[in-house]
Amino acid sequence: MQLLKKWFIFTLILLIPVIGQDKKKDSKPLASKKKKGIEFSNNQNTQDYLKMLETAFYRVRESYVDSVNESEIIKAGIKGMMKPLDPYTRFLSGSSKDRLDMLRTGKYGGVGIQIGLRRDTLTVLTPFEDSPAYSEGIHSGDQILMIDSVSTKGMSLKDASKLIKGELGSVVELTIYRPSARTKISFELTRANIVIKHVPYWGVDENGIGYIRITKFSKNTAKDFGTGLQELIDENLKGLVIDLRGNSGGLLNNSINILDKLTDRGINLLNTKGRIPKSNRKMNSRRAPKLSPDIPIAVLINRSSASASEIVSGVIQDLDRGVIVGEKSFGKGLVQSMYNLNDTTTLKVTTAKYYTPSGRLIQKEDYLNNGFLTDGLDKKDSLFITRGGRTVKGGGGITPDVEIKRTSLPPYVQGLWREGVFLTFAAEYVPMNGIESPIIITDKIYRDFEVFLEEYEINYKLPGEKDLNKLKTALRSQDDLKKTTNTSILSKLMFWKKSKSAILQLTEKVDKYYQNKRNGQYWDPNNIKWVKNGLLREMSLVASGNREKIRVSLIEDNVYQEAAEILLDSNRYYDIFEPDPESVEVEPVQE
């Protein structure tokens, strides 16, 4: 008991700085003080509250009606301590800590496959190159039936991932069903260190426009970006597109290291400001750029681009080093620091805000609604000036220089993707027919896919169908419409024919219209392009891997195509950097 008590008190002492009290600097009572939503009364200081917490714990442990899990109670208490703070300050344990460790180390113990559910069946989406799964011959589209002796029927992705991952050097047996061979195969895979590839693709098109996709900022991201960038430069690069769409961020230092390769030496890239001195940092580029300043850059962002993605896009915009294309970003301008409490738990604490070179804080309105995290930037249009004199807004994310939304897929095609039929078809069709890259979707492939779809029921709603169903529901509540309206003498004599209800008569023509529309969806000209694109992407994945899938996905990507056109048109590109003559006088970015 004494050992538990000492450990409990020691854990609480570790957390004292988090809840707003630094004994060395301020031993006075925190009268009427507020820090991040925590309020202390006039007559009690932090030590009183810690004593209260300790007393509460021992009262529960000694008096509660059933035995209690003491460690879980303590962890729940720490989690509760985080609740009044911002949503990024969290107590991490279990799978949440595992994800953080993967980000920090850039690797994990596993077999190297990306998995998903297709028609409730656990399916291999892609095996990673140079992984145990890849080396042993597991393919995209393979269906995982068993993990060791455990059936995957009804298993969640989270549970499956937990079973497949494990200690380095240990063995896991996967029993798979391969659609193309129509047979079961067992694989014994030795778990290894799987290096995460968060820069999954780079390449140059026929016009010299290079493209690099970054999905996360983990330990290896900047290094992989540098490798890809150098290969593009060696291929006579004329313009560079950096795709940060859907990138939720990651390690701040990796975003700075990437900017180092794109900006002039010695220029200010980012500043962070926090309550304690070590949180206040000024970060400048440290070396000559790897990419020539004469090569234009476009950065793609959307509403899911956050944190480190916003650092890269915001800095490039502030320095007028490139154009930002897409949708307004998420709006996370906060920096977290990690504090390990023990081997299995970590505190992730917001310790600073970051500011781009123009002085912008791009954090959106905070969750406490007290202005603490945003400096009030969400309350007004705070204008800042780029290196070349353009005005840009602070608060609420990065606003693109060229705003454009990605073309939405038609409802029918969305239904096909949700059902997973593109990969299911490709996994069987490509090997059976010996198809190799580059894939060309022929009329025969398109007709064969139509036949394949006959065994599937694709769920989707056409425009207006949801409103029609709401109307039907509303009409059913009307008493005068519940009666049948066909009261002719003939209908009464033909008593065996059921009369149509008023509701059915009202909606019959609309229902017939939608039925006809549904029957023609596969050959609808608006859908054919997107069905072929889905086949092209998944058949390329099966035939050549994820890199080829990403490459062909750009063919119908209107945001990428817009960015490429801007980079190829020098007049249009440089016109974007021209200051607005009516812009407000604000101090420009200082070097």
Side-chain angles (χ1 to χ4, degrees), residues 502-515:
I503 298 173
L504 185 59
Q505 290 186 50
L506 284 171
T507 62
E508 189 174 30
K509 288 186 178 180
V510 181
D511 288 334
K512 185 174 288 187
Y513 164 80
Y514 276 113
Q515 186 58 49

Side-chain angles (χ1 to χ4, degrees), residues 281-351:
R281 299 171 61 195
K282 185 175 183 178
M283 298 173 218
N284 297 337
S285 55
R286 296 160 294 180
R287 54 183 66 88
K290 177 176 281 192
L291 185 69
S292 168
D294 297 328
I295 294 179
I297 297 174
V299 181
L300 311 185
I301 60 173
N302 62 10
R303 290 174 294 176
S304 299
S305 304
S307 195
S309 293
E310 294 172 299
I311 290 174
V312 172
S313 54
V315 170
I316 286 177
Q317 186 178 56
D318 278 7
L319 299 179
D320 290 317
R321 180 59 189 91
V323 299
I324 312 302
V325 181
E327 301 174 77
K328 192 171 185 178
S329 63
F330 181 79
K332 179 179 181 289
L334 307 174
V335 180
Q336 284 75 44
S337 299
M338 311 303 164
Y339 302 97
N340 292 329
L341 299 182
N342 57 26
D343 292 340
T344 60
T345 59
T346 296
L347 274 183
K348 182 161 72 84
V349 181
T350 297
T351 53

Side-chain angles (χ1 to χ4, degrees), residues 10-11 68 157 270 296 386 487 517:
F10 175 69
T11 302
V68 296
L157 288 176
L270 199 74
T386 69
T487 57
K517 288 286 287 183

Side-chain angles (χ1 to χ4, degrees), residues 9-32:
I9 294 173
F10 175 69
T11 302
L12 292 174
I13 290 172
L14 281 176
L15 295 172
I16 289 174
V18 179
I19 58 177
Q21 173 72 0
D22 189 336
K23 285 181 65 180
K24 294 180 180 179
K25 295 182 181 179
D26 185 6
S27 59
K28 298 177 183 179
L30 300 177
S32 300

